[in-house]
Amino acid sequence: MPLEGFSSPTHPPQVCKLRKALYGLKQAPRAWFDKLKTTLLSWGFKNNTSDVSLFFYNAGSVVVYLLVYVDDILITENAPDLITKVIQDLNSQFALKVMGPVHFFLRFEVKRNASGLLLTQSKYAQDLLEKANMAGCNPGSTPMTVGTKLSKEEGELFDQPTFYRSIIGGLQYLTLSRPDLAFTVNKLSQFLQHPTIAHWVACKRVLRCIKGTLNHGLQFTKHSHLELETYVDTDWASDINDRRSTSGYAIFLGNNLVQWSSKKQKVVSLSSIEAEYRSLSQAATEVVCI
């Protein structure tokens, strides 16, 4: 029998047949993306090989970048008339809602200032402090004291390991706009299996640092040169438990930081580290220097 309110007065036993749906089905997101990808490629866009969600159109001096996340789309270009045409063409194929200049996207805040664009996660950071019950804590200046050495067996076990893992997971997402926290958060994430009270105390120091730097983020400015520069450093076998190194890198395009990381190395070898960062530099070049 049909559901109440969905029966036809002329054909009572019959019901509507669902032909397609964007939400609710496992294959729906893939079908949606395949349809969008096919449409963009037919218009002359190309799909980036390093990030399949990034499309670009390049014709002489005209460049258009289109970034897709599920059913949210960001478009930027250097020709205002062309972006209007792209939006109109997309609207002819899909039902669009134009939101105007981006201000908030995936918990990132985009703020325009005299220097360019400031990318922050202030609201997300504040929510994370409230989740950790530290919204009213005293602000700190640094995420970790100089010379701090954490180990797996340090102190007694923390009685809320799931809570610790949840906070560290939130901090890992925050490092997408806070490279200054990357080293400390990576270090604390190495103790997710059996966190101790000492690890939680170190985590709270990171949260106090966030409290004092809520508006910190990434500043993007215009620059005359687009030279790609990579900086690499390592602390060389500083881990107390396994004597492995923690290495980090930062990749700049002009004056703008575009990629960074901090992680423990499995093989302490200068040649292997250099090879890895050369490949990362090439990937960053492909993403930002199309």
Side-chain angles (χ1 to χ4, degrees):
M1 294 295 293
L3 297 176
E4 183 179 355
F6 290 89
S7 59
S8 171
T10 57
H11 304 283
Q14 298 183 5
V15 296
C16 296
K17 178 182 179 181
L18 182 64
R19 301 180 67 105
K20 61 180 179 179
L22 178 61
Y23 303 101
L25 302 178
K26 290 184 178 180
Q27 66 271 28
R30 176 174 294 181
W32 149 254
F33 182 79
D34 288 343
K35 172 65 175 176
L36 179 63
K37 179 180 178 180
T38 302
T39 302
L40 291 173
L41 294 179
S42 67
W43 293 346
F45 279 83
K46 295 181 181 179
N47 199 188
N48 184 262
T49 57
S50 299
D51 186 351
V52 296
S53 62
L54 176 63
F55 298 85
F56 64 94
Y57 177 86
N58 193 343
S61 60
V62 177
V63 180
V64 179
Y65 294 95
L66 189 146
L67 184 66
V68 182
Y69 181 80
V70 190
D71 58 345
D72 293 327
I73 301 175
L74 285 179
I75 306 176
T76 185
E77 41 59 49
N78 60 355
D81 295 337
L82 183 56
I83 194 173
T84 302
K85 185 180 184 306
V86 172
I87 294 175
Q88 291 174 350
D89 291 343
L90 284 172
N91 198 34
S92 66
Q93 299 288 331
F94 310 94
L96 295 185
K97 183 178 181 181
V98 182
M99 306 298 293
V102 60
H103 297 285
F104 194 82
F105 187 73
L106 300 179
R107 297 190 176 183
F108 285 83
E109 300 166 53
V110 181
K111 302 176 182 178
R112 292 165 177 79
N113 52 36
S115 300
L117 293 177
L118 177 64
L119 192 66
T120 69
Q121 292 174 280
S122 302
K123 178 62 168 57
Y124 175 79
Q126 183 62 46
D127 293 341
L128 186 61
L129 289 174
E130 294 177 0
K131 180 180 179 180
N133 300 317
M134 294 190 64
C137 68
N138 294 325
S141 56
T142 59
M144 179 181 284
T145 57
V146 178
T148 298
K149 300 288 185 180
L150 297 174
S151 65
K152 294 181 178 179
E153 295 80 16
E154 184 175 2
E156 59 182 283
L157 292 177
F158 185 47
D159 59 356
Q160 294 179 282
T162 303
F163 180 68
Y164 177 87
R165 297 177 190 125
S166 177
I167 297 301
I168 294 299
L171 289 173
Q172 288 177 334
Y173 189 71
L174 186 61
T175 59
L176 295 178
S177 66
R178 295 291 302 271
D180 57 315
L181 305 177
F183 174 83
T184 306
V185 174
N186 173 264
K187 181 64 66 175
L188 293 175
S189 66
Q190 298 172 17
F191 310 109
L192 295 179
Q193 188 173 5
H194 300 293
T196 66
I197 294 178
H199 302 148
W200 174 241
V201 171
C203 180
K204 290 198 295 185
R205 182 181 178 90
V206 179
L207 293 170
R208 285 194 292 271
C209 176
I210 294 173
K211 175 68 175 181
T213 57
L214 277 174
N215 294 320
H216 283 200
L218 295 172
Q219 178 70 50
F220 294 95
T221 60
K222 292 182 179 180
H223 206 271
S224 58
H225 75 87
L226 292 179
E227 295 178 359
L228 199 65
E229 300 177 351
T230 303
Y231 300 88
V232 182
D233 196 10
T234 183
D235 60 3
W236 296 111
S238 66
D239 192 280
I240 297 177
N241 300 110
D242 54 22
R243 307 310 300 174
R244 291 180 180 174
S245 301
T246 296
S247 62
Y249 68 85
I251 301 177
F252 288 81
L253 181 65
N255 288 340
N256 300 315
L257 180 63
V258 295
Q259 191 173 358
W260 61 92
S261 179
S262 177
K263 64 179 181 180
K264 183 191 291 187
Q265 291 293 325
K266 293 184 178 181
V267 180
V268 183
S269 169
L270 179 60
S271 60
S272 63
I273 293 175
E274 289 177 344
E276 178 180 356
Y277 296 131
R278 279 198 299 269
S279 64
L280 289 169
S281 297
Q282 292 174 359
T285 303
E286 186 177 21
V287 171
V288 298
C289 298
I290 299 171

